[in-house]
């Protein structure tokens, strides 16, 4: 396992996410990721180069490694990556590299699959737009994006804490892709960090043409 550090973690950040990591440890990988991995498996594609953006302690990363792919797991918090590495069985460690980086300023390498579960709405809108332009050029043809974005009815969007995309904006974002999964979810629930909120979510898997 190679560890790179291209950014500084903040104490604030650690405290902010520690409860999330504690509560979600042991939860299964996201359906978006499983859908994308199954599509690659059905195509007979193995040994993929995968990026897990905002990987946290590895809810999705562990599944990517178990399926035999090479993974670069990226998070702004060094503690998350330490916890991820501690969870990886010894026989899978050679497949993993980790990098502490802020996605707003990150130079994305080429990849076959870019996974980004419940993180992109944490970026500023300009930061996301920049990252997405990189993603659209660095994802190899036939490669996939799997992840989540907020919709405009999400309560974090209403409170000005985040941004969301309406269906027409999402269609334009995904113009260069074949959309394989696009599920809209609205739900009132409590976040892993204990906050009651209205979720408006897009669950997305898209294949680059
Ligand atoms: C809600 S958690 C999701 C973790 C994991 N993807 C999952 O689905 O369980 C968001 C993660 O993204 C990381 N994160 C938030 N903003 C980030 C940024 N700008 N750059 C890199 N990582 C970030 C946090 O440290 C945290 O681990």
């Amino acid at each position: 396992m190679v560890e790179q550090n291209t950014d500084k973690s903040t104490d604030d950040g650690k405290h902010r996410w520690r409860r999330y990591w504690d509560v979600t440890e042991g939860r299964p990988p996201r359906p978006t990721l499983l859908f994308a991995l199954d599509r690659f498996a059905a195509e007979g594609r193995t040994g993929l180069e995968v990026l897990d953006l905002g990987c946290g302690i590895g809810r999705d990363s562990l599944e990517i490694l178990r399926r035999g792919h090479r993974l670069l797991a990226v998070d702004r918090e060094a503690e998350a990556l330490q916890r991820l590495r501690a969870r990886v069985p010894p026989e899978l460690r050679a497949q993993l590299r980790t990098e502490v980086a802020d996605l707003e300023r990150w130079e994305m390498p080429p990849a076959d699959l870019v996974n980004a579960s419940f993180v992109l709405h944490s970026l500023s809108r300009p930061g996301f737009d920049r990252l997405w332009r990189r993603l659209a050029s660095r994802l190899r043809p036939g490669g996939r994006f799997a992840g989540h974005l907020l919709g405009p009815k999400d309560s974090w969007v209403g409170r000005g804490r985040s941004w969301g995309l309406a269906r027409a904006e999402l269609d334009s974002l995904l113009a260069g892709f074949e959309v394989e999964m696009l599920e809209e979810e609205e739900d009132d629930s409590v976040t892993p960090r204990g906050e009651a909120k209205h979720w408006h979510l897009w669950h997305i898997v898209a294949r680059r043409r």
Side-chain angles (χ1 to χ4, degrees), residues 81-123:
L81 297 174
Q82 282 157 15
R83 288 176 64 166
L84 161 62
R85 288 194 299 275
R87 298 175 73 205
V88 175
E91 66 275 15
L92 301 182
R93 286 187 186 152
Q95 297 161 225
L96 174 67
R97 290 185 301 135
T98 60
E99 183 174 345
V100 178
D102 185 339
L103 295 171
E104 302 233 5
R105 295 187 288 275
W106 188 55
E107 292 302 318
M108 185 183 296
D112 301 302
L113 169 61
V114 177
N115 185 65
S117 290
F118 286 83
V119 61
L120 297 175
H121 60 262
S122 299
L123 275 58

Side-chain angles (χ1 to χ4, degrees), residues 13 16-17 20-21 24 30 52-60 74-77 80 101-104 115-119 121-123:
R16 201 170 146 229
W17 290 111
Y20 179 92
W21 300 325
T24 59
R30 310 282 184 182
D52 192 7
L53 310 187
C55 60
I57 61 168
R59 180 169 177 173
D60 288 342
V74 182
D75 201 284
R76 197 169 50 184
E77 301 306 328
D102 185 339
L103 295 171
E104 302 233 5
N115 185 65
S117 290
F118 286 83
V119 61
H121 60 262
S122 299
L123 275 58

